């Protein structure tokens, strides 16, 4: 019997990657990246040049289709695998990334009537311009004692579905009423592959306040937000909700022609990029936190019961794998912080020295930063360059660097930023562990664990936990391919459960990163200082960060 394969497509913030994977052992046979033609749209609307507001982040829906058109045929060509041997396809996506569609499933941004209005476009996960709506969502839910609020750590994020929908209604009511459904981009892409628009239980559970037993919040709650939202669940959010691994339908003839795959092969329902990484690392039981580390971090844990955890992004039954509660938390900027520092704050002499050493700037800074012991820089930072996702759930917070002198060196600042993100992760780990969701070891995947040994050692030391690293270069895509295999089922050469697929396809490195006891002691002292700053600036004692942001917004309005 010939070996079987599936394709996983990982949709990131800047590009999409297709990976052809063996179902025998999870080995990646071929991969290809397609950059989004329009990238992240956060300044001006393409074509019209209309200036976007503060904290906007949009994308172009056709960029996602170009990934399929370009990267899927490429991996088939690279591998020389016959289409008959490919039994399924799955995707993972950034979330909450949403778009309004008409009754035919066509994005409103494709309609000449609406394309000049930015509210008709895809709102990327890091679109934070709906923060005012999120504040009201939380305020009214708390006043009413809504049962759903504790499941999301006490706060609904501006990144999520309802806040973004309400922003559309408030700013562009014509767009809202022209919209047949608001859908996650992952579900829309699956509809283009399969011809069926269904909602996956992962994104609708974590990002749209849906509960397996209770459904969406009540009509009364939505009406309390805005009378025009009273029937939101029955209208704009309607549709079948199905578990991860469900076959959304066979690949359409049109997409078969585009990709070179056989029509009718299984198309798994959409998934979240980070969540797909959990079974791909072999994590199918509680006690293990998976960190998907890149521009941001998504922290995921499996539990036996539904618990209330401060600042968690959600707890969803069957949200990651069946038969467990899936918990999610996160940090909204990690790699982005390091990139900001390198792009905007590194002096020319460092870049010159790096070039002379034959290293890129990140490698050179890490080499120099590795020479410092914990606490030796005298610096401490708060990692809120893009707000705080967990545990404070507040996008209006900003970064802080403390302890600089005229002797402070760039590599010292760089190390302090690495440490700050590790302290942010410890806040999350402690919140879970102290509320009855055990975390005994950490698993890490993504670009950062592969690139920075120093970063991973700092995380092990700060959290005082062992860390295991993904062996796959493309863990989310591997997870997406695994769900494609589950959608295909054993009768077609795939698998019948996430646990079975993980047993055969999951991959982690043999090396384990262990905490260094003397570092653990010093970092525990530094963490206490971090926590004081965290609570002082983040819990309302001193709202200077928000006042500064208010002044900045006021200045923008005056200038306009």
């Amino acid at each position: 019997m010939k070996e079987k394969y599936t394709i996983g497509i990982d949709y990131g913030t800047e590009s999409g990657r297709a990976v052809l994977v063996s179902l025998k052992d999870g080995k990646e046979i071929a991969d290809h990246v397609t950059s989004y033609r329009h990238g992240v749209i956060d300044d001006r609307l393409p074509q019209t040049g209309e200036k976007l507001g503060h904290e906007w982040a949009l994308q172009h829906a056709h960029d996602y289709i170009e990934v399929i058109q370009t990267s899927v045929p490429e991996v088939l060509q690279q591998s020389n695998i016959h289409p008959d041997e490919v039994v399924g396809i799955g995707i993972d996506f950034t979330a909450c990334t949403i778009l309004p569609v008409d009754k035919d499933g066509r994005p409103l941004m494709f309609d000449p009537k609406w394309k000049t209005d930015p509210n008709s476009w895809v709102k990327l996960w890091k679109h934070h311009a709906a923060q005012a709506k999120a504040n009201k969502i939380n305020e009214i839910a708390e006043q009413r004692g809504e049962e759903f609020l504790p499941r999301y750590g006490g706060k609904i994020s501006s990144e999520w579905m309802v806040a973004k929908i309400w922003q559309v209604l408030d700013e562009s009511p014509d767009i809202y009423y022209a919209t047949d459904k608001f859908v996650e981009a992952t579900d829309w892409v699956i509809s283009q592959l399969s011809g069926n628009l269904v909602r996956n239980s992962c994104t609708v559970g974590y990002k749209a306040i849906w509960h397996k037993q209770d459904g969406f919040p009540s009509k009364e709650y939505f009406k309390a937000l805005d009378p025009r939202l009273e029937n939101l669940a029955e209208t704009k959010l309607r549709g079948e909700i199905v578990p991860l691994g469900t076959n959304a339908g066979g690949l359409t003839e049109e997409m078969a022609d585009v990709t070179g795959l056989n029509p009718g092969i299984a198309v798994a329902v959409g998934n979240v990029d980070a969540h797909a990484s959990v079974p791909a690392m072999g994590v199918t039981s509680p006690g293990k936190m998976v960190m998907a580390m890149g521009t941001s971090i998504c922290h995921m844990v499996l539990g036996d019961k539904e618990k209330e955890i401060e600042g968690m992004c959600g707890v969803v039954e069957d949200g990651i794998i069946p038969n467990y509660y899936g918990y999610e938390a996160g940090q909204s900027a990690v790699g982005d912080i390091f990139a900001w520092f390198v792009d905007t704050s590194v002096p020319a002499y460092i870049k010159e020295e790096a070039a002379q050493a034959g290293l890129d700037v990140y490698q050179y800074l890490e080499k120099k930063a590795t020479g410092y012991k914990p606490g030796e820089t005298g610096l401490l930072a708060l990692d809120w360059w893009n707000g705080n996702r967990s545990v404070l759930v507040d996008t209006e917070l900003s970064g802080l660097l403390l302890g600089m002198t005229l002797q402070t060196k760039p590599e010292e600042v760089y190390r302090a930023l690495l440490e700050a993100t590790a302290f942010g992760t410890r806040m999350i780990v402690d919140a879970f562990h102290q509320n009855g969701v055990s975390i005994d070891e950490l698993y890490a995947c993504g670009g950062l664990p592969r690139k920075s040994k120093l970063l991973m050692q700092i995380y092990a030391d700060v959290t005082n936990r062992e860390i295991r690293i993904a062996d796959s270069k493309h863990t989310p895509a591997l997870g997406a391919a695994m769900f494609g295999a589950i959608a295909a089922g054993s009768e077609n050469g795939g698998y019948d459960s996430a646990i079975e697929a993980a047993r055969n396809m999951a991959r982690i490195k043999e090396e384990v990163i262990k905490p260094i006891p003397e570092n653990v002691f010093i970092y525990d002292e530094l963490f206490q200082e971090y926590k004081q700053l965290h609570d002082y600036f983040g819990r309302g004692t001193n709202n200077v960060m928000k006042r500064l942001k208010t002044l900045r917004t006021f200045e923008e309005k005056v200038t306009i």
Side-chain angles (χ1 to χ4, degrees), residues 366 370 448-459 511 513:
E366 172 154 339
T370 301
L448 291 179
R450 296 196 307 274
K451 296 175 183 176
S452 178
K453 290 185 178 180
L454 174 61
L455 181 69
M456 300 319 299
Q457 187 62 58
I458 290 173
Y459 271 61
E511 175 191 9
I513 300 173

Side-chain angles (χ1 to χ4, degrees), residues 7 63 90 118 145 183 193 227 249 276 337 397 405 412-413 431 532 539:
I7 292 175
D63 290 350
V183 297
L193 288 166
I337 300 176
L397 297 174
T405 71
E412 294 176 314
V413 175
Q532 286 193 53
R539 298 193 186 275

